[in-house]
């Protein structure tokens, strides 16, 4: 089917927001075998929105629009659709009740301005919104089906997938497309490239891209094939080769984060972890506890910014800090052992370093970081020199510490 | 001037690339006082490109297009423009020499396919490309000036700034554009709208947009005026009105985060803060310590996930947890007081709640969160009910706790 995407909102025209919704919809439609012929972005004025719909239905067999369904004065899409359909808005009490319920669940009174979100042009059909307040709007212009979804991505995605896509007549794709991400830590783009030499000639049907991200290089594999099975078989073979060649630096696949992998390894061993952080300031604990169910293995975290906290909570001896400094392999070791002993957890993790921008010296510059790991049999300490600004140094330190845990638990260290 | 942006390329329609170029151009044009009326994305076929140009010049006073100027077979823009102008392509030897030189500098032979990049429709003017191989194309359709720039962002940006923008000056009214963001916490979009009633009639020259973000609603103010001074004066007046009407829910402006504001308030008082977290798992400590120089006021943080940690580090009595539960106003209060007493910091902050997806009960559902604040004279506890998933609940809980600190330190609580 030839489909046009219509994105509505002044914020898109003034560049305040990048049009990620259109890209997401375009990818989903393409994967489903449809052809996106055009994306049109228009502002928040009734006549512009109405005009864009009228033009789109002359070109395409279906129109998918997003934006302008909120409760505020600059949300104009429902009025523009009513204008095109030459009909009044109709109030749906059941949607108003649903909106009220969502507010009640949060112990908040329902603001008067939310009422309009339960209004839909009389000749249109509401599209259920399982994750937000405003229903979408489905209608026909001539013979062309049009769908209006909220601009809030999380709502748009669910509604497109569950309601709109099944209603589009598909003309099956001649090809399927599959892709896979492999994430690495603690290796540079060129270092990784050197290890993966020969990939292109071994896997001519798989496109390999190197994507340098903030905390590590991501490999993207892309395959077009005649069937999903074939595509997945090619991807599996390519992944196996890459994992072998890369020598343990690949920690995860697709949406998998390093904390997911560490969490799984801890669960498999039935171990609990406790964290002692200095320069990462709580980021390691935060990442570990982002994972649903992490209370089964995360015991506690101490953000020991001050030396007093390092001594009081972690048992780091005052003389050690005086002799070697708070940023030293000795302190990293004492912190990992200290948090483990204190908490009774099976493993202790520590980070101490200088995130910057202040606090560096010629001997201990900004970006110098020690990560520590302790279990019942050993203590490991690794030294890193990161080149970034404060936020980047914090992120990379957290990933480095979590990756040390991954390798230690996985028998790679 | 009313301007339309035309983005050319199949990879934009299939969502493989997000349209960052259009956002960048939209922002630059808006800042230069122009109005972007529409963005159109079209594919790599001659007739589609030609059609999009013909439609655009009927709507707008200028058209800026990007993409399709490369050397490969799917780069069709120059042919489409020649078709609209009904003229042949003309070969520019000087551009071909320039392209050859760029390859020679990299010790590479010039591929034959690059020859087309030196071809421009006879009735068009080349736009110099100081950083790449292909020149752009400038032409008029009727009275409407059209500019085609490469899709490569670095090239497009230089050519737009140095060549296109100066040629758009003076053809429209001398307007400047200024905008401002005001960030809020702990209020819904519609609740905020109700408080800000009357804004549009009081400030007809200021456009107000409501942008719902993950952890709170952002207000965006936009002004077109004859001078920067006038624009800023209007923005200041509008901000003053909004702050008064909003009743303290506005915590920051533009790039300012809530942790920046809290950090400034702590520095102003010369106070230090210590944090006791449960469901936020280190996120509050992480956000506070993201701020450069935060070691001057951040004393320590405890992520007391287990009840043992709550008792051991924070002095929460075992009977209290048994009687009221770990998620209760009593425990939030005891945690805030406990971390303050234990650390010797001037203020203690606490959060305890159920982030989900597991752990909820009918009495204490997922999303129930208590935030606490303690200083030498008082302890404050606030109750929240968040509707989101785990990550959203964690983010909103952290912002809610930091906002409690902001209001408490700012004398608003």
């Amino acid at each position: 089917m030839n489909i046009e995407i219509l994105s509505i909102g002044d914020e898109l025209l003034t560049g305040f927001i990048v049009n990620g919704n259109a890209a997401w919809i375009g990818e989903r439609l393409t994967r489903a075998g449809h052809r996106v012929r055009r994306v049109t972005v228009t502002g928040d004025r009734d006549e512009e929105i109405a005009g864009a719909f009228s033009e789109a239905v002359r070109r395409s067999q279906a129109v998918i629009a997003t934006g302008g369904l909120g409760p505020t004065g600059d949300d104009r899409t429902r009025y523009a659709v009513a204008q095109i359909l030459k009909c009044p808005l109709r109030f749906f009490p059941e949607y108003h009740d649903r909106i009220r319920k969502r507010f009640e669940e949060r112990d908040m009174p329902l603001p008067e301005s939310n009422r309009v979100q339960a209004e839909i042009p009389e000749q249109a059909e509401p599209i259920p919104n399982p994750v937000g307040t405003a229903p979408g709007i489905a209608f026909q212009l001539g013979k062309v089906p049009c769908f209006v979804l909220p601009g809030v991505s999380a709502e748009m995605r669910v509604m497109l997938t569950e309601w709109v896509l099944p209603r589009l007549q598909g003309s099956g794709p001649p090809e399927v497309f599959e892709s896979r991400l492999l994430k690495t830590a603690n290796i540079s783009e060129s270092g990784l490239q050197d290890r993966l030499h020969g990939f292109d000639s071994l896997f001519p049907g798989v496109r390999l891209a190197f994507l340098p991200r903030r905390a590590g290089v991501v490999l993207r594999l892309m395959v077009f094939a005649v069937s999903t099975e074939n595509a997945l078989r090619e991807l599996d073979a390519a992944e196996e080769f890459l994992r072998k060649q890369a020598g343990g630096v690949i920690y995860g696949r697709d949406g998998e984060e390093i904390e997911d992998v560490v969490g799984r390894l801890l669960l498999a061993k039935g171990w609990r972890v406790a964290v002692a952080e200095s320069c990462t300031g709580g980021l390691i604990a935060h990442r570990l506890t982002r994972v649903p169910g992490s209370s089964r293995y995360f015991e506690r975290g101490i953000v020991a910014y001050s030396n007093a906290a390092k001594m009081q909570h972690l048992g780091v001896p005052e003389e050690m800090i005086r002799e070697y400094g708070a940023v030293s392999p000795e302190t990293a070791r004492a912190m990992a052992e200290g948090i483990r002993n204190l908490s009774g957890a099976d493993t202790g993790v520590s980070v101490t370093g200088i995130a910057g921008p202040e606090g560096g010296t010629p001997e201990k510059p900004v970006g110098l970081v020690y990560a520590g790991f302790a279990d019942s049999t050993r203590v490991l300490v690794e030294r890193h020199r990161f080149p970034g600004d404060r936020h980047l140094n914090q992120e990379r330190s957290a990933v480095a510490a979590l990756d040390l845990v991954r390798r230690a638990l996985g028998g790679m260290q």
Side-chain angles (χ1 to χ4, degrees), chain A:
Chain A
M1 235 174 155
N2 286 331
I3 301 181
E4 177 153 346
I5 298 171
L6 177 54
S7 307
I8 298 163
D10 281 350
E11 305 301 318
L12 293 163
L13 294 177
T14 58
F16 188 72
I17 293 175
V18 177
N19 199 351
N21 275 353
W24 192 88
I25 297 170
E27 198 190 338
R28 291 305 304 266
L29 292 174
T30 305
R31 279 175 186 277
H34 301 291
R35 196 160 161 233
V36 178
R37 297 308 286 261
R38 189 177 281 210
V39 176
T40 296
V41 185
T42 188
D44 293 318
R45 265 150 299 271
D46 296 21
E47 66 283 2
E48 288 177 5
I49 301 169
F53 269 110
S54 308
E55 293 165 26
V57 296
R58 285 200 291 271
R59 284 185 294 254
S60 303
Q61 298 166 278
V63 179
I64 297 175
T66 58
L69 291 183
T72 64
D74 57 359
D75 292 303
R76 303 301 311 169
T77 306
R78 62 173 59 80
Y79 305 104
V81 171
Q83 183 184 316
I84 311 167
L85 295 175
K86 300 187 181 63
C87 71
L89 294 173
R90 182 178 140 202
F91 177 68
F92 282 73
E94 64 268 36
Y95 282 99
H96 197 235
D97 288 347
R98 215 182 279 180
I99 296 169
R100 179 184 294 116
K101 222 182 225 159
R102 289 190 67 88
F103 274 82
E104 278 170 5
E105 280 167 9
R106 299 184 58 187
D107 297 328
M108 292 163 74
L110 180 63
E112 179 56 29
S113 53
N114 272 94
R115 189 187 153 92
V116 297
Q117 291 200 298
E119 292 184 349
I120 296 287
E122 213 168 61
Q123 285 171 39
E125 187 186 352
I127 302 174
N129 181 344
V131 289
T133 51
I137 305 173
F139 61 100
Q140 295 236 147
L141 263 191
K143 289 192 167 169
V144 179
C146 299
F147 307 90
V148 184
L149 302 174
V152 180
S153 298
E155 302 178 14
M156 179 278 288
R157 292 180 181 200
V158 174
M159 293 161 80
L160 186 93
T161 307
E162 294 184 358
W163 208 92
V164 179
L165 275 182
R167 280 165 180 80
L168 297 172
Q169 308 300 320
S171 51
E175 282 193 313
V176 298
F177 169 80
E178 289 291 337
S179 72
R180 186 170 293 173
L181 301 177
L182 297 175
K183 298 179 173 175
T184 73
N186 287 323
I187 189 164
S188 73
E189 187 179 1
S190 48
L192 193 57
Q193 194 151 4
D194 286 352
R195 291 195 190 172
L196 304 183
H197 217 72
F199 179 87
D200 290 343
S201 51
L202 272 169
F203 297 92
V206 184
R207 223 177 90 66
L208 174 65
F210 293 73
L211 314 171
R213 296 285 166 82
R214 283 177 68 85
V217 182
V218 173
L219 300 171
R220 185 177 196 214
L221 305 172
M222 288 161 283
V223 169
F224 282 93
V226 292
S227 71
T228 304
E229 282 116 310
N230 284 17
L232 293 180
R233 202 177 312 125
E234 278 200 75
L235 285 180
D236 287 344
E239 178 176 344
E240 199 189 322
F241 172 83
L242 292 172
R243 282 188 184 266
K244 202 176 293 165
Q245 295 296 109
V249 298
I250 295 173
Y251 64 78
R253 180 209 269 191
D254 294 329
E256 214 168 40
E257 301 291 346
I258 187 117
E259 58 266 26
D260 298 316
V261 179
V262 166
R264 242 185 5 247
L265 289 165
L266 287 165
L267 277 179
K269 283 192 183 298
W271 281 10
R272 308 231 291 164
V273 66
V275 181
E277 307 184 53
S278 175
C279 66
T280 45
L283 181 55
I284 299 176
H286 164 55
R287 291 193 57 160
L288 283 167
T289 58
R290 275 171 61 90
V291 182
S294 48
S295 57
R296 289 202 291 274
Y297 51 79
F298 182 84
E299 209 281 331
R300 77 184 66 174
I302 306 279
V303 184
Y305 240 47
S306 64
N307 288 342
K310 289 189 184 74
M311 296 183 272
Q312 192 176 340
H313 294 301
L314 306 171
V316 180
E318 193 172 358
E319 318 79 72
M320 180 182 280
I321 296 179
R322 212 180 312 115
E323 187 164 348
Y324 302 104
V327 179
S328 63
E330 291 79 6
T331 302
R333 166 182 285 269
M335 286 169 69
E337 285 182 306
I339 189 71
R340 180 177 174 275
N341 292 335
L342 184 89
S343 66
D346 307 277
T347 59
V349 185
S350 69
V351 164
T352 180
I354 299 153
E358 297 157 15
T361 65
E363 302 81 46
K364 296 190 176 175
V366 167
L368 176 67
V369 172
Y370 294 94
F373 170 90
D375 63 17
S376 63
T377 62
R378 60 188 174 156
V379 185
L380 305 169
V381 174
E382 284 183 348
R383 180 182 185 277
H384 298 274
R385 270 295 304 275
F386 297 116
D389 64 6
R390 180 179 184 85
H391 295 172
L392 209 48
N393 287 339
Q394 290 183 324
E395 274 181 53
R396 289 183 174 172
S397 302
V399 170
L402 290 169
D403 195 59
L404 172 59
V405 180
R406 174 184 73 91
R407 283 178 279 117
L409 294 179
M412 280 176 272
Q413 198 71 32

